[in-house]
Every structure is written in C-alpha cells, then in structure tokens.
Amino acid sequence: AVTGDHSQLFSVRQNGHDLRQITALDGDALVADWSPDGRRIAFEFDPADGSGASVDIMNADGSGVTNLTPTVACCSGEPSFTPDGRRIVFERFDPATGDDAIWSMRTDGSDVGRVIDPWPDGAGFATDPNVSPDGGTLSFVGFDGSLVGPAPASEPARGLFTSSIDGGDLDQLLPFSADLAIKQDWAPDGRRILAGVNANFLHVGDSANIATIRPDGSGFRLLTDYQGGQVNAFAGSYSPDGQWIVFRLEDHGRYALYRMRADGSDLHTILGLSDFRPRNIDWGPRAGHDHTPLRAR
C-alpha cells in the first residue's frame, strides 16, 4: 500500500491474518525474495531522490537493512536468492550506455560477476532472474524492444528465457507476443515455471492470466481464464511445498490477494478486494513460517 508517497513491503499469513508493514523507507521497496532459510529478504530499493536503484537485504522482520550494491553505476534490482542461499542473482542496468545484464554476487555483496547479457548491443533488457531448484538453470524475462504494447502504457512485450547457470545455452521458452509479467517463479520440484501472460495488455480487450510451462518450453498451460480485460490475474509464486500458487486478482479497479492449487483449482481469498494493491508476491519458505512478503501500492 502507499504509505506517504512510496511503496513498501508487507507480510501476511496465508489465511489473511496478521498483515503487517515490514519496511518504512524513504523510497520504494520492491520485489521481495525470501532467503531459503526464511531468515532474510532481498529486495530492490528505489530511493526517493531518484538516484537510482539498489539491491538491499534485511532480516525477515524488516531490521538490519543493508545496501549490497553501493556503486555509482545505476541501476541494480530484481534480486533473487540461489537455492543454496549463498548467492543472489539480479539485474543491473547502466542508463549511460544502455547496458543491461543479469549479474550474480554473494549475499554480502562481494564476488560480483556478470552472468548473461542476451542483447549486448543495448537493444533489450533481461530482468527478474530466478535459479532452478537444482541450481543448474537460470530463468529470466526478456525483451528486445521489437514488440511494443498499446498506448498509453506502450510497454515492451516480454518473453520467457532460460540459460545455464553460467549464461550459456540461451533458450526462449515463450515469445515476446506472450507479453509476460516480470514476475515468474520455479515450482519447488523444478518441473514447471510460473508466469503471467498478456500482462501489459498487448492483446487489447483480453485479460491478464496465469500460466505454467515446462523448463524445456513444452506443456504450456493456462491456470486462469479471465476474459474481457476488466478482471485480471497476476502471478506471484509457489508455496514451499508446490501445492499452491499465490497471486493478485484485479477486478474492475480493485485488488485482492488469492491462492489457488497448482493446477488452477480451489481458489481461496487471502485478502479481499480493496484499494490495497499487493504486487511482486513471494511465499515464505519455512514450514510454520507462512508469511508472504509483498510490495503493496
């Protein structure tokens, strides 16, 4: 939710109880990702002064916020932990050169290295990197600027990509015309990837929906089938056991937080429709620790 002029991170239990704000920063706190042990959260911080974006880390209760990318080069964001909890993958963009790539670092900000730059000529962007549960595959959302959605947003239409963890073997799983949401997530067993389609309404008059696909690009499956553009679903993440998916539902300008089975059945309301807008939702990893951090606006 907007607190003052900024987006902050919140957590809530999967039954909708105990909603609480866990950041109160002078700027926007975005795209939270739990560490595998549930003790820390990595997130993107965009300061209010417009100076750029950084990857920050904090304790799960919001204390101990630390900037892991204190550099003059802008901008770093969209962080996620590797499954062993030892590293964070993230996007780094330099507006002076147009260079955009996926990078990796240790959780203390050291040992920073470039992983993949699928469009080294500055023609496109790679964002929201995630690592497969076995640690061997990187998935990310990418776009090359060749397909742009309708005005007024005119957002580039994005596709889904994978590579090996060292940046080789680049493969495109979903085309740019799928118009992916930035948020995507691996099933805990590594068999499917969760994604959102028509997220920027490239297909005018159609709704945004949630889908999954196998890591080899086969078996595309829609889990929601909203139509008409007034009701839309935006993917969050899998539960730690892979049985549930948490997501945002938008219904005629109001927002709700829902969970459903991994096959799209058995919808449950977590937070009902209101002006509170959950975004970039990530489910906490520990048994008995079912808080779900989210950016709300």
Side-chain angles (χ1 to χ4, degrees):
V2 172
T3 57
D5 296 324
H6 305 300
S7 297
Q8 301 293 343
L9 299 181
F10 292 72
S11 69
V12 65
R13 296 193 181 276
Q14 61 174 296
N15 59 11
H17 296 167
D18 200 17
L19 177 68
R20 63 192 184 201
Q21 184 174 337
I22 54 176
T23 62
L25 302 173
D26 186 21
D28 292 319
L30 317 168
V31 289
D33 189 73
W34 287 95
S35 65
D37 64 8
R39 295 179 179 179
R40 294 185 294 175
I41 296 171
F43 65 98
E44 177 183 330
F45 177 56
D46 296 358
D49 63 7
S51 59
S54 62
V55 172
D56 287 30
I57 195 169
M58 65 181 177
N59 297 321
D61 63 1
S63 65
V65 176
T66 302
N67 181 353
L68 298 181
T69 55
T71 173
V72 295
C74 175
C75 302
S76 298
E78 298 286 342
S80 67
F81 287 91
T82 56
D84 61 9
R86 296 179 179 178
R87 301 189 69 84
I88 291 171
V89 291
F90 63 101
E91 176 189 6
R92 175 175 284 175
F93 171 64
D94 184 347
T97 63
D99 179 69
D100 187 90
I102 303 300
W103 292 66
S104 173
M105 64 182 168
R106 293 195 180 109
T107 56
D108 62 0
S110 66
D111 192 28
V112 182
R114 192 183 191 98
V115 178
I116 190 169
D117 48 352
W119 297 280
D121 59 359
F125 299 84
T127 190
D128 190 40
N130 284 269
V131 178
S132 62
D134 66 5
T137 303
L138 179 76
S139 63
F140 61 92
V141 172
F143 47 101
D144 66 359
S146 63
L147 188 61
V148 178
S154 299
E155 288 276 351
R158 299 176 285 248
L160 180 64
F161 294 79
T162 59
S163 74
S164 60
I165 197 62
D166 62 1
D169 301 320
L170 179 66
D171 191 20
Q172 184 166 2
L173 305 190
L174 288 172
F176 299 119
S177 58
D179 190 24
L180 258 66
I182 288 178
K183 179 72 175 179
Q184 43 98 20
D185 190 46
W186 285 82
D189 63 8
R191 294 181 179 180
R192 300 195 74 85
I193 300 174
L194 176 70
V197 296
N198 202 42
N200 295 292
F201 308 106
L202 177 69
H203 307 287
V204 179
D206 289 347
S207 293
N209 279 291
I210 296 169
T212 65
I213 191 169
R214 296 190 188 103
D216 65 1
S218 67
F220 177 81
R221 180 190 304 160
L222 279 172
L223 302 184
T224 62
D225 189 25
Y226 297 107
Q227 299 179 16
Q230 294 301 310
V231 180
N232 300 282
F234 295 90
S237 68
Y238 282 95
S239 62
D241 61 9
Q243 298 298 307
W244 296 92
I245 288 168
V246 63
F247 69 99
R248 177 173 89 252
L249 183 73
E250 297 189 359
D251 189 342
H252 292 81
R254 306 188 78 202
Y255 314 100
L257 187 67
Y258 273 74
R259 61 185 171 99
M260 61 182 171
R261 293 286 182 184
D263 63 1
S265 66
D266 198 16
L267 265 63
H268 289 261
T269 303
I270 299 175
L271 298 173
L273 287 167
S274 71
D275 292 332
F276 184 85
R277 187 182 185 187
R279 303 183 69 184
N280 311 125
I281 309 150
D282 196 49
W283 200 312
R286 289 188 295 171
H289 191 105
D290 59 355
H291 270 266
T292 302
L294 49 98
R295 166 203 175 189
R297 184 172 185 172

